[in-house]
Amino acid sequence: MTRACALPEGAQRFYHLITFGCQMNDHDSEVLAGILEGMGYRAVDRAEAADLVVINTCCVRASAENKVYARLGELGRLKRRKPHLVIAVGGCLPQREGAAEELMRRFPQVDVIFGARNLHRLPELLARVAAGRPVVGLWAPPDEPPEGLPARRAPGVKAWVTVMYGCSNFCSYCVVPFVRGPERSRPPEAIVAEVEDLARRGYREVTLLGQNVNAYGRDLGNITFADLLRRLDRVSGVMRIRFTTSHPRDFDDRLIEVLAAGRHLCEHVHLPVQAGSNRVLGRMNRGYTREQYLDLVDRLRAALPGVGLTTDIMVGFPGEDEEDFEATLDLVRRVRFDAAFTFIYNPRPGTPAAAWPEQVPLEVRRRRIRELIALQRQISLENNRAEEGRVVEVLVEGPSETDSGRLCGRTRSFKMVVFPGASDLVGKLVRVEILAGKVNHLEGRVVEQG
Ligand code: SF4
């Protein structure tokens, strides 16, 4: 007897979806939810109430993997009490070299293992679930999810749209090119149609997703990311368009021009620098120098006054010495990012850097990240205090997560603003006077509605 069919014919089946990782994974989970609901499943918010638990995994850092393993341990205990429970593990982790075998060995309670780019195969994999052995269906090119898969998006103001899959950069620390394959761009017509549909359904802000959106169109040959942005800027009903992630090497002047001329294209660029030392950038295979990065920042600031700049920075990359780390701190002081996601380097199996002998001791990595975070917090606070007294445009997203009595929304430059207001403002553009700048947000009052 198959386990997926162990419930009585016609019985309502429930699924619980757990997502780890980046916005790409969040959006993949929206598609997984759409697929499962197309199969007749209904969502529940607790694994205990589900017949099927799907974990959409990440393996970019060891901590993300460890969280998956911890959840699988809990689900194993649940399955002992609820034997008909089906557990499926998908996303990036199973695609990492040796990970699917490790999952099977350590977690015999897993029924289905699928890959990062074959989520559309989940129904057929579930149909093959049988007691005793997991069904394994990893992704391999050229298999791709077809266009038009249903997505169960949370109702609200903002939506994600994937514009491309994979990455061809092979930074020496990163698993993404191995688990998600080379860059592939979606057809522009499909992206425009999806954004038009979102606008009709009331979404006001669209974030375009890709590991390196600046490479969009390279494989298509007749369109660039700048061209795509120009087309999307003309879609009626969308108030704001954002995108992430940009690669500094591929951010050209044409893209800056289009951003400067765009009406709905937000003045925010997430531009991962990773390190401020040329020696480390070279060993990371990032493809730019600190001078080129600083020049790009100058060009962005000249063309887009008030542009919000955020970044990713890694400390403790193999061979990073004190001078290299000082160069990173120096770059942070020069650029004065509005915010930074900071990470301690963590070796990822199968990547070149993991095999290098010059690993930096953990206590040194920890000391460096503390210094970096303290510096960035100080800069974020100063940048945000400089906003005090200004009036900014905010797209109202809903109640503040930290204070449900107030509303929140972002500036075009991606700063979070919290302010008092009525719920009928949600989804509207308002003008807010900034009264106080904090480390991670601004506080203000609405001075003009609608
Ligand atoms: S650009 Fe580098 S860090 Fe980013 S996904 Fe590609 S390989 Fe990984």
Side-chain angles (χ1 to χ4, degrees):
M1 183 176 66
T2 62
R3 284 196 223 166
C5 301
L7 290 174
E9 190 77 14
Q12 176 65 59
R13 292 177 296 176
F14 297 95
Y15 75 95
H16 179 63
L17 187 50
I18 301 165
T19 306
F20 294 99
C22 62
Q23 290 158 319
M24 303 275 292
N25 262 21
D26 286 333
H27 182 50
D28 282 350
S29 282
E30 292 178 338
V31 175
L32 278 167
I35 291 171
L36 291 170
E37 294 187 10
M39 294 172 70
Y41 283 92
R42 275 179 45 197
V44 287
D45 58 10
R46 292 179 317 121
E48 290 72 13
D51 308 297
L52 165 67
V53 176
V54 181
I55 308 187
N56 190 9
T57 64
C58 170
C59 64
V60 167
R61 274 175 274 285
S63 55
E65 277 194 31
N66 291 336
K67 283 183 199 160
V68 172
Y69 297 143
R71 285 308 282 270
L72 283 172
E74 291 164 16
L75 289 171
R77 291 189 283 282
L78 176 63
K79 192 158 175 162
R80 281 201 283 279
R81 303 197 306 273
K82 192 173 178 182
H84 84 271
L85 178 69
V86 172
I87 301 173
V89 181
C92 291
L93 174 57
Q95 296 286 153
R96 175 173 69 65
E97 192 182 292
E101 294 75 13
E102 189 182 346
L103 281 167
M104 283 188 268
R105 183 175 50 77
R106 287 180 58 189
F107 302 101
Q109 64 270 30
V110 172
D111 300 282
V112 173
I113 295 175
F114 63 106
R117 296 303 312 140
N118 61 347
L119 36 118
H120 56 298
R121 303 271 173 217
L122 187 57
E124 67 196 56
L125 297 174
L126 285 172
R128 284 168 36 205
V129 168
R133 293 192 55 172
V135 179
V136 181
L138 295 182
W139 169 75
D143 192 18
E144 291 289 348
E147 288 293 338
L149 284 176
R152 179 182 181 266
R153 289 185 160 96
V157 176
K158 304 190 296 182
W160 291 302
V161 172
T162 300
V163 298
M164 60 186 302
Y165 308 115
C167 181
S168 302
N169 283 322
F170 290 96
C171 299
S172 58
Y173 52 84
C174 183
V175 289
V176 167
F178 301 99
V179 301
R180 287 192 172 251
E183 291 160 358
R184 289 97 68 207
S185 305
R186 286 182 63 202
E189 300 74 26
I191 296 167
V192 172
E194 188 171 341
V195 172
E196 286 171 343
D197 179 57
L198 289 168
R200 274 193 297 273
R201 290 161 54 196
Y203 291 93
R204 294 291 168 247
E205 179 176 302
V206 168
T207 301
L208 310 176
L209 298 177
Q211 303 292 346
N212 174 15
V213 287
N214 315 112
Y216 176 81
R218 230 181 246 163
D219 54 323
L220 301 177
N222 54 357
I223 185 166
T224 65
F225 186 55
D227 299 331
L228 179 71
L229 284 179
R230 281 191 61 198
R231 284 176 71 169
L232 293 175
D233 195 32
R234 294 197 288 264
V235 172
S236 119
V238 173
M239 291 171 174
R240 288 179 169 186
I241 297 170
R242 300 187 184 278
F243 53 89
T244 195
T245 293
S246 293
H247 194 297
R249 188 200 52 210
D250 297 326
F251 212 111
D252 58 22
D253 283 340
R254 162 104 176 105
L255 179 52
I256 296 175
E257 265 171 43
V258 167
L259 285 177
R263 213 169 138 221
H264 304 294
L265 309 178
C266 288
E267 296 82 11
H268 167 231
V269 181
H270 184 69
L271 198 62
V273 66
Q274 303 298 2
S277 148
N278 282 338
R279 200 177 68 90
V280 174
L281 288 170
R283 285 163 59 86
M284 285 178 164
N285 194 30
R286 290 291 292 172
Y288 53 86
T289 62
R290 65 180 270 131
E291 291 76 20
Q292 287 166 331
Y293 187 92
L294 289 168
D295 180 59
L296 173 57
V297 167
D298 287 346
R299 283 183 283 131
L300 280 166
R301 286 192 165 141
L304 303 164
V307 63
L309 286 178
T310 54
T311 195
D312 299 339
I313 308 175
M314 185 185 293
V315 299
F317 187 74
E320 181 193 72
D321 62 18
E322 289 303 323
E323 204 178 316
D324 295 320
F325 178 59
E326 275 305 318
T328 295
L329 294 179
D330 178 70
L331 183 136
V332 169
R333 284 188 205 102
R334 284 178 192 227
V335 177
R336 298 184 61 80
F337 295 105
D338 293 292
F341 297 97
T342 53
F343 308 97
I344 290 181
Y345 168 77
N346 190 276
R348 300 283 60 221
T351 60
W356 292 345
E358 316 91 332
Q359 302 292 325
V360 177
L362 186 57
E363 64 274 16
V364 175
R365 286 186 264 164
R366 284 189 176 144
R367 194 245 308 147
R368 288 180 187 166
I369 196 108
R370 281 196 301 272
E371 273 185 55
L372 177 62
I373 289 172
L375 172 62
Q376 181 55 50
R377 282 177 65 85
Q378 182 60 34
I379 292 170
S380 296
L381 180 62
E382 288 167 6
N383 285 0
N384 285 345
R385 283 194 176 148
E387 298 288 324
E388 291 174 5
R390 292 190 183 148
V391 174
V392 294
E393 181 198 276
V394 173
L395 175 59
V396 186
E397 295 178 13
S400 158
E401 274 181 20
T402 51
D403 177 355
S404 57
R406 290 193 290 174
L407 297 174
C408 71
R410 288 194 186 269
T411 63
R412 287 175 67 101
S413 62
F414 205 58
K415 287 183 186 287
M416 175 58 77
V417 188
V418 178
F419 49 91
S423 60
D424 62 353
L425 292 180
V426 173
K428 296 196 172 129
L429 292 174
V430 296
R431 295 185 66 75
V432 177
E433 181 188 4
I434 302 305
L435 302 175
K438 308 289 181 183
V439 173
N440 294 318
H441 71 281
L442 305 170
E443 295 184 354
R445 68 182 180 99
V446 176
V447 292
E448 195 181 320
Q449 300 184 8

